[in-house]
Amino acid sequence: MKILMFGWEFPPHITGGLGTACYGLTRSLATEGAEIVFVVPKAFGDEDQSAVRLMGASDIEIDAADPDTQEFWKRVTYLQIGSNLIPYVTPEAFRRLVEERQRQQQQPIDDLVLKAKFDFNGGYGSDLLAEVSRYALIAAGLAGKQQFDVIHAHDWPTYPAGIAAAAISHKPLVVHVHATEFDRSGENINHEVYDIERRGMEAADRVIAVSNFTRNTIIEKYGIAPDKVVTVHNGIAAATDYTGSTTRYLKEKVVTFLGRLTQQKGPEYFVEAAHMLLQYDKNVRFVMAGSGDMLPRLVRQVARLGIGTRFHFTGFLDEQEVQQLFAISDVFVMPSVSEPFGLVPLEAIRANVPVVISRQSGVSEVLDHVLKVDFWDVNALADAIHGLLTYKSLASEFRKHGKNEVSQLTWDHAAHQVIKIYEDVVAISQLT
Amino acid sequence: MRSICFYFQVHQPFRLRTYRFFEMGHEHHYYNDFENKHILNRVAQKCYLPMNELLLNLIGRYGDKFRVAFSISGSAIEQLRDYAPQVIESFAQLARTGNVEFLAETYAHSLASLKSKPEFERQVNLHRKTIEELFGQKPTTFRNTELIYSDEIGEMVYNLGFDTMLTEGAKHVLGWKSPNHLYSNARKPELKVLLKNFKLSDDIAFRFSHQGWKEWPLTPEKFTSWLAKTDKTDEVVNLFMDYETFGEHQWRETGIFDFMKALPAKILKNTDFTFRTPAEVSKILQPVAAIHVPYPISWADEERDLTAWLGNEMQDEAFGKLLGLEKKITNCTQPDILRDWYRLQNSDHFYYMCTKWFSDGDVHKYFNPYTTPYEAFINYMNVLSDFTIRVDEHCVENNKGEAKGEPTIQHGQHEAADSVDADKQADDGDRSHDFSFEHLKNISNAKLKKLLKDIDAENLAYALRDAGEDIRDRVLPNLTKSARQEYDQLTEKMKKIKDEDIARGRDKIAKAFNRLFNS
């Protein structure tokens, strides 16, 4: 089976979980016999290409005078560039971006995209939509030349490419939803992005959702037919054991939050639960690791509640520091309001830290040996943390079963289901 | 005539409400009254009342040839009294026919037999008394919670005055032997043991409405033909099941009532079986052998073991901590504490904490009010924590049969062997060798603070130098700020210190400790 795959990032050049997921999935797909051409905006040359053949869109020139190119371009011009676009990443980055954009004089889009040579930045910079368009154009060109059976596109920046490639090649299209606009922006969604997502899902022969939680969003908020949307839970790659410092300098128990400090991660519920607990038990410290636009508000909240001596902000932590934090943590909490999957709790469990997660997370669907609460139910959240800190056998039951449970969540398992989906869509496309 | 022996179990637990940690110390109502009432009324309407009526009619029709036995837990009786007293009356009506035997069990449907003989005895006596008052029979047959049985438990039961006991005909205990005979206890041959024929019992209780079962639908004719086919030397077939089988687990629509209504006639007409109660079977049959059960068995799951209730760390911690309160409960007369003491012993609470069901068991999910065993555990432990506070406040510990003085020590474990006997030490203030740092772990923060006021930082630093980290963790947070500073400075300096200094420090604490609990 030959797959033409579109992804916006690939390790080691990643900004979030998307690239990691693409890498894990393609490696296992390759062991199942899939041959994958993976198209990224920009190839850096240091990517691991053992499982895929990586192509950078930057390296592909086009001839604007070629009638084919003109034809392809017609198919992708529905993208309205220059309007308010929320990029893929964080809301605070978005704010910067909008300001930057306002300072710049915009080049006419056709000229920009139809240059012979286009240097992609990759990532999610201010030219994101131009890049998305150019990327789609190149995809259309590629689709005419490459031999493949299925097109597989990961998240919205690659959906236009997937649609264009499918239109040219008449091959089945699978779009893979790792996150939706609702996960990134709550209810204040960007409508351009939403439209791109919805068109991608509508055009696809199958939509893969990373959890039932995301699947429900796709069905309810994008109006996609349920029988077209399939859940394939993410895997987690094996990790090397942490060997750094595990010294605990604090005598109090430590409860940890780790993630971007944005509304969707629910950090304020963590603060409220901390406040409740500290009224009963002073021998606990709370650590909030990560950065984000909500930080000032959270600091004020902590100050207002008068728990500042027991509640600590660390800012952004690198991989090593994260492991160090896990090593001194007694409980990890992920109170996300909307979390398509959620890898961090799995890392915590692997570091032997018992976890409390919200039911509004995809990962809660695949874990039994965790405590699950609704993100808004601060009483339940506080009670869960209290239980883990107080009743010893609970944490030890979790430690006994947790690692084993996480080790079952493999990319091989996910890839196996994806192959089935490929076979399905190929079989159906051959009938028609 | 061979015997067919029906015994039905009636039990309803006191399900707990969601109880948060911040309610501890001031909210003492633990039960989900709404849910308990709702379930009890539903089961009363669907099962207890119609099935009692059906049995009463059968007795009316077949007279002495139709007999059955019941065991009704104290928890079920309490809820029936509160929510559906007419059910108690209908059981009493059955009792008055003289064809129904009422068995004894632990009042609270408790697991006490596995952990505490005195508690077990107390509950059995309470249940026996309750049954006698309600139904005018003094039970002579015993059935333990979940049919849990071992040689040792059998011996306890015999010593309590019973001559017959029921348990599971577990394969791993019986081997090639048949459950269809009377057996005796391995230690007390006078105690007769009746074994459940789990194949024929479960055909009714579990498989009756299961359409994937090759024998479905089960008819009275078919069941009777199986009875007729039993080995001619078999003497008794014991059909033991939950009473809720009729109308609740197997709905009326499955035909379970019609089945039971028609069954006696078929059996009496087409076989040489007649219906007898456990007490009668025990009287007319001779035991064929002793049954050896060194490790406890039950009627649950494939394994017929205890792992549904005890065995994972949460279940063991919860049950251990609960029964750890026993010494204080023994002398307690406060009705609300005793009531909760029993209700918290319902085996169901521990069953909800079982982690086996992640892999198997829709049966279990059906009976479980919690989504996960972890929630069940946390909720139970929150309740138990509050209950412990109340017990510590109101109950006096029973030590060596006599109790006086203020209760001061909290026992983490039921085997509180290393606890401080405050009274004894009061007689002998200098017996500081009786003191152990472990005691500090068990006293309240307030007491500890009071104690520490008596000790100067130097002595404390010496004393704690070789104490375990857990002791230091317990003591240090209770120091005042200045004492803590002093202590930290001293420990810094104490690179080298003499053994007698440590001993002196310890001695000081011990004396202060004794003074504290002496006053």
Side-chain angles (χ1 to χ4, degrees), chain A residues 251 273 276-277 280 283 359 368-372 377 379-388 390-394 396-398 400-401, chain B residues 18-24 26 311-315 317-318 355 358 371-375 377-379 381-383 385 473 476-477 484:
Chain A
K251 62 180 171 17
M276 284 190 82
L277 270 156
Y280 279 81
N283 289 319
R359 291 206 176 89
D368 281 332
H369 302 285
V370 296
L371 291 173
K372 300 172 195 175
D377 192 347
N379 288 354
L381 177 59
D383 204 45
I385 298 170
H386 173 267
L388 274 169
T390 315
Y391 311 129
K392 286 194 184 108
S393 58
L394 188 58
S396 63
E397 275 289 327
F398 279 0
K400 200 159 72 190
H401 299 296
Chain B
T18 300
Y19 186 95
R20 303 293 188 204
F21 73 94
F22 43 80
E23 300 180 75
M24 290 174 199
H26 60 105
N312 81 30
E313 290 177 53
M314 298 184 293
Q315 294 168 319
E317 181 180 6
T355 43
F358 281 130
T371 329
T372 71
Y374 304 119
E375 286 166 39
F377 172 74
I378 290 180
N379 205 51
M381 292 304 281
N382 287 350
V383 167
S385 301
D473 285 349
L476 297 185
R484 177 66 196 262

Side-chain angles (χ1 to χ4, degrees), chain B residues 186-199:
Chain B
R187 296 187 187 181
K188 294 285 178 190
E190 300 92 332
L191 181 81
K192 316 291 195 317
V193 182
L194 269 74
L195 302 177
K196 173 184 156 194
N197 182 315
F198 66 79
K199 155 83 177 58

Side-chain angles (χ1 to χ4, degrees), chain B residues 277-290:
Chain B
T277 65
E280 288 176 302
V281 172
S282 168
K283 213 162 283 160
I284 62 167
L285 291 184
Q286 283 301 311
V288 292

